[in-house]
């Protein structure tokens, strides 16, 4: 059975076709990065309008790429939350129309849980439980103990900025452009990661939560100085400052924190099968560090390939098909309740019902 995935939660209009929940037969992503770049971040109204413009051409391209018949499609999966409200609604409306036109069920998918299945698209395998999963993206830094398809226990999450958000904000401060992750990584390649000793926000000894806003402020003060009252010193970079060194030192700090928190989670749970997804998981030094740690510690590491780390619809289709199978193919009314935010569940609470 083919599942069509529809993803419009942020600034990517994406449609994919996935066979049996695992084999990606087509995946088209129309990025809006150029439209948002002048603003240094995503503008929700522009995002929603661009989705409406892009959805039909993206769907046509995906169908063409897959070369499939309409009759092969048995399910439509759409990101229903969390994300930008107007952006989500455009995708949900399109998915409903598609379901109606094809006379197939439409299933709502949680975007963060979709990131969790991305590592399994690599070798078309089913996840094995239990599993530790880290989603590091522009909107989320969530660490889960996954015990089954609909049983993800939140072990820790960011208390302020997500890791990707920190990359984006630091890139803006350093005048490197948008989105921040790739440009910070590029600048860092010619920088010294030990140049600035940014304090690692590990929080308390056992904490699996994250906090990146203090790090962003530390970068701000390092680059622009501080007034005697404690505010930012000005809007020009300190003379002699090497942006590459700051980028490399900031990136090293984030890598240390993510690596340490995953190690802690493994220690605390005893689970050594570790899956990583989300846009920040594209980061070269982070991937390298996690591979090193996994080898050293004997973990089974499942790293989503970069194409499935950033937002895409293949992971949405795969997640939809996974839930569909787990529920025994039972149809129920679409629960497409677009929500702008996803409340931070108490540690130990299952978040699958979002
Ligand atoms: O998963 P994603 O595409 O969208 C969300 O669900 O948020 O993640 C986007 C985030 C952005 O903050 C972007 O700066 C970050 O992923 N990112 C990276 C890299 N590539 C993308 N962060 C660090 N290094 C990268 N190479
Ligand atoms: Zn995402």
């Amino acid at each position: 059975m083919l599942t069509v995935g529809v993803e419009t939660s942020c600034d990517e209009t994406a449609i994919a076709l996935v066979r049996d929940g695992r084999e990606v037969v087509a995946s088209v992503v129309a990025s809006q990065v150029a439209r948002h770049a002048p603003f240094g971040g995503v503008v929700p109204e522009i995002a929603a309008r661009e989705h409406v413009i892009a959805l039909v051409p993206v769907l046509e391209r995906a169908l063409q790429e897959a070369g499939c018949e309409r009759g092969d499609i048995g399910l439509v999966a759409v990101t229903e939350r969390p994300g930008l409200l107007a952006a989500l609604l455009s995708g949900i409306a399109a998915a409903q129309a598609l379901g109606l036109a094809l006379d197939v069920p439409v299933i709502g998918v949680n975007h963060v849980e979709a990131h969790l299945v991305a590592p399994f698209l690599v070798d078309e395998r089913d996840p094995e439980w239990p599993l530790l999963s880290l989603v590091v993206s522009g909107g989320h830094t969530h660490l889960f103990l996954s015990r089954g398809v609909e049983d993800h226990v939140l072990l820790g999450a960011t208390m302020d900025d997500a890791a990707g958000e920190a990359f984006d904000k630091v890139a803006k401060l350093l005048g490197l452009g948008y989105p921040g992750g790739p440009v910070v990584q590029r600048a860092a390649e010619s920088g010294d990661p030990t140049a600035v000793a940014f304090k690692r926000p590990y929080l308390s000894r056992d904490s699996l939560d994250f906090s990146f806003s203090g790090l962003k402020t530390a970068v701000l003060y390092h680059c622009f100085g501080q007034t005697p009252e404690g505010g930012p010193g000005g809007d020009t970079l300190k003379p002699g400052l090497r942006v590459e060194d700051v980028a490399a030192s900031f990136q090293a700090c984030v890598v240390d924190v993510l690596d340490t928190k995953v190690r802690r989670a493994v220690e605390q749970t005893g689970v050594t099968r570790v899956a990583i997804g989300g846009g920040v998981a594209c980061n070269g030094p982070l991937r390298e560090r996690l591979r090193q740690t996994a080898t050293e510690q004997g973990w089974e590491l499942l790293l989503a390939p970069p194409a499935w780390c950033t937002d895409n619809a293949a992971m949405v289709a795969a997640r939809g098909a996974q839930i569909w199978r787990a529920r025994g193919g039972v149809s129920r009314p679409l629960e497409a309740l677009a929500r702008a935010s996803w409340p931070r569940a108490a540690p130990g609470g299952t978040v699958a019902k979002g």
Side-chain angles (χ1 to χ4, degrees):
M1 178 186 81
L2 276 180
T3 302
V4 182
V6 179
E7 159 60 42
T8 62
S9 66
C10 192
D11 61 343
E12 256 100 29
T13 315
I15 298 211
L17 284 115
V18 171
R19 181 170 288 120
D20 299 329
R22 288 187 301 202
E23 185 201 342
V24 184
V25 293
S27 175
V28 179
V29 181
S31 171
Q32 305 174 1
V33 161
R35 292 285 283 118
H36 300 285
F39 306 96
V42 180
V43 182
E45 286 73 15
I46 295 179
R49 206 170 305 150
E50 292 291 314
H51 287 313
V52 172
I53 295 168
L55 269 160
V56 170
V58 168
L59 172 65
E60 279 168 350
R61 264 172 58 203
L63 289 173
Q64 207 174 14
E65 214 176 87
C68 66
E69 303 288 328
R70 288 165 63 115
D72 299 340
I73 298 168
L75 182 68
V76 177
V78 59
T79 301
E80 62 176 353
R81 64 183 189 274
L84 305 171
L85 193 66
L88 286 164
L89 288 171
S90 63
I92 290 167
Q96 279 175 318
L98 196 58
L100 203 61
L102 296 171
D103 195 22
V104 298
V106 182
I107 194 166
V109 165
N110 179 312
H111 181 86
V112 179
E113 292 172 4
H115 273 299
L116 296 179
V117 300
F120 299 94
L121 292 170
V122 192
D123 48 5
E124 296 169 20
R125 59 190 278 188
D126 279 332
E128 287 172 76
W129 321 105
L131 174 71
L132 264 185
S133 11
L134 175 69
V135 177
V136 259
S137 70
H140 299 91
T141 307
H142 280 56
L143 193 51
F144 297 100
L145 171 61
S146 300
R147 302 184 295 201
V149 172
E150 297 197 74
D151 184 3
H152 303 290
V153 177
L154 185 66
L155 299 176
T158 184
M159 303 196 305
D160 38 59
D161 293 349
E165 198 177 348
F167 269 96
D168 294 336
K169 287 179 175 170
V170 165
K172 200 171 175 179
L173 283 179
L174 297 177
L176 292 172
Y178 171 85
V183 284
V184 168
Q185 184 182 329
R186 211 167 309 129
E189 279 162 19
S190 48
D192 173 6
T194 63
V196 193
F198 291 120
K199 190 169 178 293
R200 274 53 179 155
Y202 291 130
L203 306 173
S204 66
R205 246 179 87 82
D206 300 325
S207 171
L208 297 177
D209 285 328
F210 303 84
S211 169
F212 292 107
S213 77
L215 172 61
K216 174 202 64 195
T217 309
V219 173
L220 172 74
Y221 290 156
H222 180 82
C223 296
F224 298 95
Q226 239 179 316
T227 61
E229 296 77 41
D235 50 13
T236 47
L237 292 171
K238 277 192 202 159
L241 187 106
R242 278 201 79 227
V243 164
E244 294 81 1
D245 287 346
V246 179
S249 303
F250 159 78
Q251 182 177 257
C253 181
V254 175
V255 170
D256 277 352
V257 170
L258 295 175
D259 179 52
T260 301
K261 297 284 173 166
V262 177
R263 281 171 187 261
R264 273 187 195 175
V266 169
E267 267 166 38
Q268 290 179 23
T269 60
V271 175
T272 55
R273 190 180 298 120
V274 179
I276 320 270
V280 180
C282 287
N283 186 267
L286 175 65
R287 298 174 78 83
E288 210 173 297
R289 171 72 70 81
L290 290 167
R291 283 200 190 100
Q292 267 171 19
T293 306
T295 309
E296 183 189 299
Q297 302 287 322
W299 302 348
E300 182 191 353
L301 181 69
L302 296 131
L303 260 177
W308 306 138
C309 282
T310 46
D311 286 349
N312 65 85
M315 66 184 194
V316 174
R319 176 65 185 160
Q322 191 188 45
I323 308 172
W324 183 250
R325 242 187 310 160
R327 292 179 188 164
V330 178
S331 185
R332 68 178 198 197
L334 177 63
E335 277 185 73
L337 300 166
R339 290 184 199 163
S341 64
W342 193 34
R344 190 188 178 289
T350 176
V351 294
K353 292 170 196 75

